[in-house]
Amino acid sequence: MNRKAFWKMNQAVCMALWGWCIYHAATKKTPIMPLSLAAMHSSEYFLIGKKVGAEAGVSAAKTLSCTLMLGFTWWVPTKKGV
């Protein structure tokens, strides 16, 4: 699981999920899906992403944006040094 291509593929899937959630919210007129995804990724930032980013020497702003967009597909490889 330390292969860069594996994590990049998972990050692409995560971005596609964001796109699908936003599309669904726009067509169904309900923001519940993107809000749920944002809430999950926000909790990841406060539970572990912030610490991992600081240990890796990544700025707080980049850590926040990457964790909100990519969730664990960003902080796990960053923690492992991939």
Side-chain angles (χ1 to χ4, degrees):
M1 285 180 70
N2 289 338
R3 298 175 87 164
K4 192 169 188 166
F6 172 79
W7 290 108
K8 290 294 181 186
M9 180 190 67
N10 282 300
Q11 289 174 350
V13 169
C14 189
M15 293 306 294
L17 178 62
W18 269 110
W20 184 81
C21 286
I22 291 168
Y23 168 79
H24 184 270
T27 58
K28 300 293 184 187
K29 307 287 188 227
T30 178
I32 193 71
M33 293 180 79
L35 290 176
S36 299
L37 196 55
M40 288 187 299
H41 286 197
S42 295
S43 67
E44 282 183 275
Y45 172 74
F46 291 108
L47 292 173
I48 195 162
K50 191 174 178 180
K51 179 182 173 194
V52 169
E55 289 173 354
V58 180
S59 71
K62 183 175 179 179
T63 299
L64 177 62
S65 62
C66 287
T67 306
L68 286 177
M69 287 187 308
L70 303 170
F72 80 91
T73 65
W74 178 81
W75 63 258
V76 170
T78 300
K79 185 176 182 177
K80 293 181 179 223
V82 176

